[in-house]
Amino acid sequence: MSTTIATKCVHIPADKDVKDVYGAMSYPIYQSATFAHPGVGQSTGYDYSRASNPTREYLERTVAALENGSDALAFTTGMAAITLLMELFKPGDHLVIDSDLYGGSIRLFQYVSEKNGISFTKVNASRGEVEAAIRPETKAVFLETPSNPTMRVTDLEELSGITRAHNLLLIVDNTFLSPYFQNPLDLGADVVVHSGTKYLGGHNDTLAGFLVTKDTEIAEKLRFLQKTTGATLPPFDSFLITRGIKTLAVRMDRANASAGRIAEWLRERPEVTKVYYPGFADHPGHDVMRKQARGFGAMISFELRDKDFALALLERVNVISYAESLGGVETLLTYPYTQTHADVPEDERIANGITDRLLRISIGIEDADDLIADLEQAFAAASK
């Protein structure tokens, strides 16, 4: 029987020994580092938790099902997932990447991957600049859509046609929309990246990362590398992310609806000079988003009249918290210039619109009227 993604979030088939024998509604935490062998040369299927653990495996099956992949791998953080992904490449390889990415990804590429002999060319993927940057040694294209923090939207079906023609991997970070709103593998991507810390976990209480693929060969390589390097998600964290996923649909629907209202409110404020939100009909990527996603997400970036006003606003919100991260039940206000994108070279920050006047807000599940009221009082207080 086919099920919608909302139902998949709640009902992923568990192992028979748990569901059929004990009737457990929640998959248990197998908090064990190692597993006993029934005999010499025999295994229960689990030997050592770095290589495999039942709780983590259940979570991985869940995420693979949500992204319509054949396999998913769970990591200690999103950055651990991307770090391992880069082990698919060797010295001399080249990647084309979007210039507007999470600052941690750019830091990894610039200070670790380049040291290891991998080179990168930054482009605006949403403007069709990828193909011109491809070289004979290019192996992959890496991007986010929408991008962090200026919400660039790239047509994944169109781009996947280019990557297939050049025999390249297409890697898409889907953290901003989650599998509830967008499934890049269905649009031609080869690997999907998630910071599970964000919408999948959804409660700002644990860290996690994921790589998802449909390709068996890629999955086998990633499994070998994960077992070898060891950044696998522990059992208790796997349980927390599994629990968070059960409410993914209702959280995303609520936050998505509130974000539309708040983006419109921000656009009417005289102190706001620009709002980055793909739900606006005049956003350059609006039509692409309508085609390839089931919602516009709950992320908004907005530019204020000057730096002093931006800093004052951060300190005057009450219901909203001034904090890094995104995707949790709480609404968070972030200053990309000194937080998420502080390690991006300043000239690149400015070129991408990440100025000292830009704020990013992750809408949570609070009542939208309460969030707007908090913003109203914060704007009034900051104006004084």
Side-chain angles (χ1 to χ4, degrees), residues 92-107:
D93 286 349
H94 170 257
L95 277 73
V96 179
I97 63 173
D98 198 286
S99 58
D100 191 34
L101 294 175
Y102 167 54
S105 299
I106 293 176
R107 181 173 59 238

Side-chain angles (χ1 to χ4, degrees), residues 58-225:
Y58 177 69
L59 169 62
E60 291 172 336
R61 290 203 308 272
T62 300
V63 174
L66 296 180
E67 280 290 11
N68 300 322
S70 62
D71 199 8
L73 292 79
F75 297 83
T76 50
T77 66
M79 287 312 304
I82 298 173
T83 298
L84 180 127
L85 182 64
M86 295 308 296
E87 293 299 322
L88 292 178
F89 308 107
K90 64 183 187 302
D93 286 349
H94 170 257
L95 277 73
V96 179
I97 63 173
D98 198 286
S99 58
D100 191 34
L101 294 175
Y102 167 54
S105 299
I106 293 176
R107 181 173 59 238
L108 171 71
F109 297 156
Q110 183 170 348
Y111 294 104
V112 180
S113 300
E114 287 187 355
K115 170 183 67 68
N116 293 336
I118 301 168
S119 61
F120 300 86
T121 298
K122 297 174 183 176
V123 301
N124 186 334
S126 69
R127 294 181 180 171
E129 297 177 0
V130 170
E131 191 160 25
I134 295 172
R135 307 174 187 171
E137 65 271 24
T138 304
K139 302 300 180 185
V141 175
F142 184 105
L143 74 153
E144 305 163 353
T145 182
S147 66
N148 183 3
T150 59
M151 310 298 165
R152 294 178 186 171
V153 177
T154 299
D155 189 321
L156 293 179
E157 284 189 311
E158 182 179 288
L159 181 56
S160 68
I162 294 170
T163 55
R164 282 195 301 269
H166 291 271
N167 196 29
L168 308 178
L169 293 180
L170 176 56
I171 303 164
V172 179
D173 188 326
N174 197 30
T175 298
F176 263 26
L177 288 185
S178 88
Y180 184 70
F181 281 142
Q182 182 172 262
N183 298 119
L185 295 178
D186 293 346
L187 299 165
D190 298 290
V191 180
V192 170
V193 177
H194 282 284
S195 172
T197 310
K198 313 305 192 292
Y199 289 108
L200 293 174
H203 291 77
N204 290 321
D205 58 7
T206 192
L207 304 178
F210 294 92
L211 298 176
V212 193
T213 185
K214 284 182 177 179
D215 189 295
T216 303
E217 183 178 349
I218 293 174
E220 288 176 354
K221 289 179 181 178
L222 293 174
R223 285 276 170 202
F224 173 80
L225 289 167

Side-chain angles (χ1 to χ4, degrees), residues 8 10 32 41 43 47 105 111-112 149 154 156 166 207 209 213 234 239 275 291 348:
K8 282 183 180 180
V10 181
S32 182
S43 172
D47 303 317
S105 299
Y111 294 104
V112 180
T154 299
L156 293 179
H166 291 271
L207 304 178
T213 185
F239 166 80
V275 180
K291 178 183 72 168
E348 293 181 21

Side-chain angles (χ1 to χ4, degrees), residues 250-300:
V250 291
R251 289 187 286 104
M252 295 304 293
D253 283 338
R254 172 71 171 242
N256 181 73
S258 296
R261 287 187 58 193
I262 291 166
E264 292 286 357
W265 183 88
L266 286 167
R267 207 174 204 185
E268 297 301 316
R269 297 293 305 196
E271 305 93 337
V272 177
T273 58
K274 187 171 185 177
V275 180
Y276 298 87
Y277 175 63
F280 290 146
D282 58 357
H283 184 284
H286 180 79
D287 290 340
V288 174
M289 280 280 283
R290 286 178 62 88
K291 178 183 72 168
Q292 70 185 20
R294 296 177 289 272
F296 297 109
M299 299 300 301
I300 307 165

